[in-house]
Structure formats: structure tokens, C-alpha cells
């Protein structure tokens, strides 16, 4: 289902022409489709229904509280990695018992905050962290549950910056040490340790690494059972891919077809932590062409969005489709990187930041563009706005949520006071 589509040559988000939003709030602006988010959330729910999983949307992928509220109302739990994300989940009305908390560097303050909130599960990543959690839990009257995050040493075959399940990464505890970990901490007085967690990377374009990792985890569960430790919950993390390029990502149903048979009937509560698969295709980043210029060797389209708004191309060589928001009616772009409009010009789409890594797309065939034209960067919903910065003292973009034929601003554009405020308040 595509909720971003051209009608009479004009790009729409659901029933709203994106140019109308640009006229009202300016650019750059992130435009989210509520229907797309909910559609993807429901697709995960439906695909995995046989396991009745707890779906914990990964807040790091998209953290606007208005969007978290939509997902909470749809029944989602949340995966958090900081006190800030927990605060966002609470502000969105989340059920804290359906919050899982991962991360290798939880501070005492964050742990205390999460204990007080009554979160469902601490995904513990080291021996020292467990001991610290136990100490802090001991001084509270709350019941605390933990999962051991295991590093299964699996290659998820994704970008090296987003690969997390290999031995050499900082995440989790080596699978070889897991049994020893349970012997040391499995009978702790303050923390109930009866769950396992894995998250092997993101995006993972095949179910195969999950099958391999879950196989290792099921063997581990058997070893633990032989030693009288029973595992109630298995959190298999996130990492399901989204369609950045030509629909080559598996759908939720494809991952489920491989994963569900491994876990069905085992009396395990299953947790999923999808972020990107729900959020990525739910937004575009809309920018305005500032200048078109011929460089020494390349043609540049310079827009008012930059790596400060969407860093994925600079950081991961990520490819996002970029199309004009207005095209002749019979030339609506297909989701293809090699879309060839008449009179196409090969261009790099870049921002105004003083870095050569500041690009949104390279070598794209686009129709001739001029100052003032609107360009939409697709699949920008996950790890888009959340990774934005104020580098070069650029205020962050606005965020808008579309629901049918209505839209509203869910984060105002930052102003210069947002840049200077924390320096003045000292
Ligand atoms: N659970 C844990 C413990 C994670 O670390 C992550 C992502 C997820 C779930 C959600 O993964 P997802 O389903 O969204 O793939 N900035 C990078 C992605 C970093 C992912 C970090 N961890 C990017 O833009 O591609």
C-alpha cells in the first residue's frame, strides 16, 4: 500500500498535496503518513500472530511523541535505549510494563528512572551492568526483570556501522559466557533473570541470519534448562529491512515464515523490536531547490535540507529515492533509482553544509530543476529526523503528520533561540 503517490502530477501524502504543507510550514520538513505507520505495524502483528508477540517499536528509529502515541494506541510497546527515550515513551502514554530497555552504557540515573517507571525488561549487556542493576534494584521496592543480551556471533551482512551481532562488536555478552552468566546471577535476590535478548544488526535483507541466531539461542536455552534455569521470554530484537530500493526488502510475512516455525509451541513469550520496517516508508523529507550549478565535473542541485537533516547517505552510503514533488501528469516516477524522465540530467543532490560528505543522493537522473522546485527524499521516516543535528548552526526541520485529508505540525521548526538558549541559560 503506497500512501505517498502522485495525483495529477502532484505528490500527495495520503489525501494532502505535499506542496500545500510546504507553503504553510516551509521546508525542509519531514512529512509522515499515519496510515503507512499503522499499516506496517499491523503487517508485523499479522505476520507473527501465531506467536502472539509483544511488539516493542524501536524508539530510536523515530521518536516524535505524537507518533509514539499513535503506535501506543495501536497496542505497541516500546524498545528504549536511554532515559530520554523512556521519557518520550511516558509522554506518549506508553504502558511501561511493555517497555524493554537495551544499551551498553545505562547510567545509574537512567536505571533508577527505569526502575521507578516499572519497565517490563532490562536487556542487560554485561556482568558489571547486572551487578549495578541488582544493587540499584535492591534499594527500591520494585520488582525488576532482566534479559541477558547475548552476542550470538552472527554476520547479518549489513553495513559495518549497523552490524551488532558479531563477536567484535560491543553489544551483549558472548554466547559462550551465557551459561556462566546465569550461574552467577540466575538466582539474584533483586533481579529476576529469566529472559534472553538478541539484536544482530539492521537492516537485514534476509531471514537467514535470524534463523541462524535463533538456532544458537534455542541450543543455549536447552543448555540452561539442563542446569535448571528456565527461560520465559525471548526478545529477538529488530532489524527487519524496509524498501529503500526497488522493493528488494522482504516483507514482515517473509521474516515470519522463517522465524515462526522455530519458535511456535515452545511456551516462550516472544518480543519483537522493529523500528525501520514500521517507520522508514512512513515519511518523506521535503526540500526546496536553492540553486542549480555546474561544478568542474558534476551537476549539483543544492537544496535547503542537508546531512544535518538526513545523515544516512553520508554515514552509510544509503540510497534514498529523490523525486520532484511535481511532474507532468504522465511521467509520475516509479520507485526506481534509474527512473529516466524526458530531458533527464544526471545530478548530485547536496545541502549547504561545509563538508563534501554533505549529500542526499548522487548520480540521479532528474528532470531539469530550477530554484524553488520541491524535491522529496523518500523512505526517510526511520533514522531520519532522530539523527538530525544543528551542525553549522542550522535549526532542525519541522515535522508534520498527515491523517487522511488532515495534517498537523507535530514538531515546530527550530528557531535561532533553540540554538542559543542552552548557552544563554548558564
Ligand atoms: N533493537 C535494538 C537493540 C537496536 O539496537 C535496534 C537498532 C533496533 C531494535 C531497531 O532496528 P530496526 O528494526 O530499526 O532496524 N542509524 C542506522 C540504524 C541503526 C540501528 C541501531 N539499532 C540506519 O540509519 O540505518
Amino acid at each position: 500500500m503506497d500512501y505517498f503517490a502522485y495525483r495529477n502530477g502532484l505528490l500527495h501524502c495520503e489525501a494532502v498535496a505535499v506542496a500545500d504543507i510546504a507553503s504553510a510550514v516551509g521546508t525542509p520538513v519531514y512529512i509522515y503518513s499515519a496510515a503507512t505507520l499503522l499499516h506496517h505495524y499491523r503487517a508485523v502483528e499479522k505476520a507473527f500472530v501465531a506467536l502472539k508477540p509483544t511488539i516493542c517499536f524501536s524508539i530510536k528509529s523515530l521518536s516524535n511523541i505524537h507518533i509514539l502515541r499513535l503506535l501506543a494506541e495501536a497496542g505497541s510497546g516500546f524498545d528504549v535505549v536511554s532515559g530520554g527515550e523512556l521519557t518520550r515513551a511516558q509522554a506518549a502514554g506508553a504502558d511501561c510494563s511493555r517497555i524493554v530497555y537495551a544499551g551498553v552504557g545505562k547510567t545509574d540515573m537512567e536505571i533508577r528512572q527505569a526502575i521507578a517507571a516499572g519497565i517490563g525488561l532490562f536487556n542487560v549487556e554485561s556482568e558489571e551492568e547486572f551487578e549495578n542493576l541488582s544493587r540499584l534494584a535492591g534499594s527500591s521496592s520494585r520488582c525488576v526483570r532482566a534479559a541477558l543480551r547475548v552476542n550470538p556471533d552472527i554476520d547479518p551482512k549489513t553495513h559495518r556501522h549497523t552490524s551488532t551481532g558479531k563477536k567484535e562488536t560491543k553489544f551483549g555478552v558472548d554466547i559462550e559466557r551465557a551459561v556462566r552468566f546465569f550461574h552467577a546471577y540466575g538466582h539474584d535476590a533483586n533481579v529476576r533473570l529469566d529472559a534472553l535478548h538478541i539484536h544482530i544488526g539492521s537492516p537485514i535483507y534476509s531471514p537467514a541470519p535470524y534463523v541462524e541466531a535463533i538456532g544458537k539461542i534455542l541450543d543455549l536455552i536447552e543448555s540452561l534448562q539442563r542446569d535448571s534455569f528456565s527461560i520465559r521470554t525471548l526478545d529477538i530484537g529488530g532489524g527487519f529491512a524496509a524498501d529503500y530500493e526497488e522493493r528488494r526488502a522482504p516483507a514482515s510475512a517473509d521474516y515470519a515464515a522463517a522465524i515462526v516455525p522455530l519458535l511456535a509451541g515452545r511456551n516462550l513469550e516472544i518480543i519483537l523490536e522493529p523500528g525501520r520496517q514500521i517507520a522508514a516508508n512512513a515519511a518523506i523529507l521535503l526540500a526546496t531547490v536553492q540553486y542549480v550549478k555546474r561544478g568542474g565535473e558534476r551537476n549539483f542541485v543544492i537544496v535547503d535540507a542537508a546531512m544535518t537533516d538526513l545523515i544516512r547517505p553520508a554515514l552509510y552510503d544509503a540510497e534514498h529515492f529523490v523525486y520532484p514533488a511535481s511532474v507532468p501528469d504522465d511521467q509520475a516516477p516509479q520507485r526506481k533509482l534509474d527512473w529516466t524522465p524526458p530531458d533527464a540530467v544526471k545530478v548530485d543532490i547536496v545541502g549547504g553544509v561545509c563538508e563534501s560528505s554533505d549529500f542526499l543522493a548522487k548520480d540521479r537522473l532528474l528532470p531539469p530543476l530550477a530554484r524553488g522546485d520541491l524535491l522529496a527524499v523518500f523512505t526517510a521516516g526511520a533514522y531520519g529526523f532522530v539523527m538530525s543535528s544543528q551542525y553549522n548552526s542550522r535549526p532542525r526541520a519541522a515535522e508534520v503528520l498527515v491523517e487522511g485529508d488532515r495534517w498537523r505540525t507535530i514538531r515546530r521548526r527550530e528557531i535561532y533561540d533553540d540554538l542559543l538558549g542552552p548557552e544563554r541559560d548558564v
Side-chain angles (χ1 to χ4, degrees):
M1 184 62 95
D2 209 343
Y3 292 100
F4 291 93
Y6 287 84
R7 263 183 246 148
N8 305 323
L10 292 180
L11 179 61
H12 282 65
C13 173
E14 303 192 17
V16 180
V18 298
D20 291 346
I21 296 174
S23 307
V25 304
T27 57
V29 55
Y30 274 89
I31 301 177
Y32 299 89
S33 152
T36 308
L37 278 163
L38 295 174
H39 174 77
H40 290 313
Y41 177 80
R42 298 278 179 233
V44 177
E45 200 174 50
K46 187 166 163 224
F48 285 89
V49 68
L51 300 177
K52 294 201 180 63
T54 304
I55 300 173
C56 292
F57 175 71
S58 191
I59 292 187
K60 68 176 80 61
S61 67
L62 170 56
S63 65
N64 186 295
I65 56 172
H66 301 276
I67 284 175
L68 300 184
R69 187 176 299 279
L70 270 185
L71 290 168
E73 282 166 4
S76 187
F78 295 100
D79 153 46
V80 305
V81 288
S82 68
E85 286 191 353
L86 174 56
T87 304
R88 285 181 175 278
Q90 289 176 299
D95 168 358
C96 287
S97 71
R98 290 156 67 81
I99 290 180
V100 296
Y101 184 1
V104 296
K106 304 174 188 83
T107 64
D108 289 6
M109 196 178 90
E110 288 176 315
I111 293 174
R112 281 200 196 94
Q113 178 189 350
I115 294 174
I119 68 157
L121 202 59
F122 285 85
N123 289 339
V124 170
E125 308 230 10
S126 67
E127 287 82 353
E128 282 201 355
E129 183 194 330
F130 189 94
E131 287 172 16
N132 194 34
L133 174 62
S134 174
R135 180 179 66 85
L136 295 168
S139 54
S140 79
S141 52
R142 294 274 189 160
C143 160
V144 173
R145 256 191 98 203
L148 171 61
R149 178 168 180 178
V150 170
N151 184 322
D153 196 25
I154 298 289
D155 184 357
K157 302 197 169 53
T158 188
H159 195 279
R160 66 185 203 293
H161 289 174
T162 55
S163 171
T164 49
K166 287 274 287 164
K167 240 188 169 76
E168 63 265 27
T169 64
K170 67 181 176 185
F171 300 98
V173 166
D174 265 7
I175 192 152
E176 289 84 22
R177 290 213 314 274
V179 171
R180 226 183 308 150
F181 194 103
F182 271 78
H183 278 282
Y185 305 116
H187 301 293
D188 189 82
N190 306 318
V191 181
R192 183 148 50 94
L193 176 66
D194 61 0
L196 292 170
H197 173 229
I198 48 172
H199 170 76
I200 53 180
S202 149
I204 300 174
Y205 279 94
S206 149
Y210 289 96
V211 171
E212 203 186 332
I214 290 169
K216 286 191 170 188
I217 293 297
L218 292 176
D219 289 346
L220 171 61
I221 291 177
E222 274 178 27
S223 308
L224 289 168
Q225 268 162 356
R226 279 196 297 275
D227 289 359
S228 306
F229 295 108
S230 62
I231 298 299
R232 244 179 68 198
T233 302
L234 172 59
D235 178 345
I236 64 168
F240 298 162
D243 277 317
Y244 289 88
E245 299 151 42
E246 306 188 27
R247 307 205 183 283
R248 73 181 178 98
S252 309
D254 301 318
Y255 293 101
I259 293 171
V260 169
L262 304 175
L263 298 174
R266 287 182 182 271
N267 205 18
L268 279 172
E269 182 211 4
I270 302 298
I271 298 176
L272 306 173
E273 301 173 348
R276 184 191 316 265
Q277 194 166 63
I278 291 173
N281 277 314
I284 57 166
L285 169 61
L286 193 64
T288 302
V289 174
Q290 302 299 302
Y291 302 104
V292 176
K293 96 172 191 184
R294 170 87 202 149
E297 290 183 343
R298 308 177 76 87
N299 297 306
F300 294 103
V301 174
I302 301 156
V303 296
D304 58 359
M307 66 187 291
T308 45
D309 301 295
L310 181 67
I311 203 173
R312 302 192 70 258
L315 202 53
Y316 314 116
D317 296 315
E319 307 256 24
H320 289 254
F321 294 99
V322 182
Y323 297 134
S326 162
V327 291
D329 198 10
D330 56 340
Q331 290 163 25
Q334 302 304 316
R335 293 273 183 108
K336 280 185 184 298
L337 289 174
D338 62 355
W339 173 62
T340 316
D343 310 322
V345 185
K346 190 179 267 190
V347 296
D348 289 356
I349 298 135
V350 302
V353 167
C354 302
E355 297 239 5
S356 299
S357 59
D358 178 25
F359 64 92
L360 297 173
K362 283 190 172 168
D363 290 328
R364 297 302 170 81
L365 290 170
L366 290 179
L369 293 162
R371 264 171 77 70
D373 286 348
L374 291 171
L375 280 181
V377 184
F378 283 76
T379 318
Y383 309 104
F385 182 86
V386 288
M387 293 182 82
S388 62
S389 76
Q390 296 172 334
Y391 181 44
N392 278 204
S393 288
R394 295 166 59 95
R396 287 189 182 82
E399 294 183 290
V400 159
L401 179 64
V402 177
E403 292 174 272
D405 57 4
R406 289 172 304 135
W407 66 268
R408 64 194 159 104
T409 299
I410 53 171
R411 193 178 206 274
R412 65 160 172 78
R413 184 177 305 292
E414 286 185 352
I415 56 173
Y416 291 144
D417 275 346
D418 295 313
L419 301 180
L420 298 162
E423 292 157 48
R424 288 196 182 118
D425 300 344
V426 286

